[in-house]
Amino acid sequence: MNVRIEESWRERLQPEFDAPYFEQLTDFVRHEYATTRVYPPGREMFAAFEACPFERVKVVILGQDPYHEPGQAHGLCFSVNDGVPFPPSLQNIFKEIHDDIGTPIPMSGNLTRWANQGVLLLNATLTVRAHQAGSHQNRGWERFTDAVIHRLAEEREHLVFILWGAYAQRKGEFIDRAKHLVLQSPHPSPLSAHRGFFGNHHFSRTNEYLMAHGMEPILW
């Protein structure tokens, strides 16, 4: 199957696109977009890959579902379009960044600025039905995004994988900790942020690791 995705990713993920499960996933997603409201807009489904080619990835932040309310999701996990109020998890992310490294709370929740520096903002499921969290889970997206993480973990070295919450941590269990830095904490959701997300220092720890391996730090 010919999927429109950034070329360096297409080369590595073509076996997934040719697999029967991906054809079934494609049929399901096309039907959903044709018959109901789905986020993000179809043209932004693979935006995380477009913004961050394979060889430029330095950090992977793993989310679960796209935001499912109007105007929020645009293909990067935890990110919202310019002018959209910050969802609670994103508010907590910005608070931790401020407390960790002193960066002021930004005016925009659009995290494309991170992606352009090598942060792959990857949701485990790349689409969702409006107002229905989890509505596109267990249709094949998780297998596809597992393959993305496997390619990065196997072909690259000294990446930082940031896994917030039990779901992300299960998805990243196989990553070789001797080859990459894996940072884990509770999720930034208001339900769990006070149980260890706040004070995790993931942003300063990421930059320390990158600089120790000769890479530019992320301007969070």
Side-chain angles (χ1 to χ4, degrees):
M1 180 178 293
N2 184 24
V3 175
R4 295 181 63 181
I5 192 172
E6 193 276 332
E7 183 63 21
S8 66
W9 287 106
R10 188 193 62 76
E11 291 174 0
R12 289 168 175 85
L13 296 172
Q14 192 62 50
E16 305 304 312
F17 301 143
D18 291 338
Y21 87 88
F22 198 88
E23 183 175 359
Q24 295 168 6
L25 170 62
T26 299
D27 289 344
F28 166 74
V29 170
R30 282 177 176 159
H31 182 265
E32 287 285 285
Y33 273 100
T35 58
T36 187
R37 185 169 295 280
V38 175
Y39 299 123
R43 67 184 180 279
E44 296 177 330
M45 190 184 309
F46 295 115
F49 303 93
E50 297 298 331
C52 195
F54 184 87
E55 295 296 344
R56 291 188 54 213
V57 175
K58 298 190 287 189
V59 181
V60 180
I61 298 180
L62 186 61
Q64 190 164 352
D65 262 5
Y67 295 124
H68 52 79
E69 297 302 326
Q72 293 181 319
H74 65 115
L76 310 180
C77 75
F78 294 106
S79 180
V80 292
N81 283 301
D82 292 327
V84 175
F86 301 165
S89 291
L90 186 57
Q91 292 181 33
N92 288 338
I93 289 169
F94 287 149
K95 182 179 187 302
E96 173 59 22
I97 292 172
H98 177 266
D99 293 346
D100 185 15
I101 59 178
T103 300
I105 304 297
M107 297 296 292
S108 171
N110 189 325
L111 304 182
T112 301
R113 60 187 181 274
W114 295 1
N116 290 338
Q117 298 176 74
V119 182
L120 180 66
L121 295 161
L122 181 67
N123 275 315
T125 302
L126 298 190
T127 55
V128 68
R129 189 180 292 184
H131 317 302
Q132 297 183 38
S135 50
H136 285 189
Q137 292 178 4
N138 302 314
R139 294 286 187 164
W141 277 131
E142 294 91 344
R143 179 172 169 182
F144 172 72
T145 52
D146 280 350
V148 171
I149 299 167
H150 272 278
R151 297 294 192 285
L152 286 166
E154 291 164 5
E155 294 187 31
R156 300 286 309 280
E157 291 184 343
H158 306 313
L159 300 182
V160 181
F161 291 88
I162 297 178
L163 309 178
W164 295 326
Y167 180 90
Q169 289 159 23
R170 287 193 300 272
K171 197 171 176 71
E173 282 177 342
F174 69 89
I175 298 167
D176 184 350
R177 270 64 170 173
K179 190 177 178 184
H180 305 286
L181 176 64
V182 179
L183 298 176
Q184 300 187 165
S185 82
H187 195 275
S189 161
L191 299 174
S192 56
H194 290 279
R195 299 204 300 266
F197 175 79
F198 291 133
N200 65 22
H201 300 290
H202 282 182
F203 304 96
S204 59
R205 291 173 66 189
T206 293
N207 281 350
E208 290 164 3
Y209 182 85
L210 293 176
M211 290 187 290
H213 290 89
M215 289 176 274
E216 288 291 319
I218 304 298
L219 297 176
W220 300 109

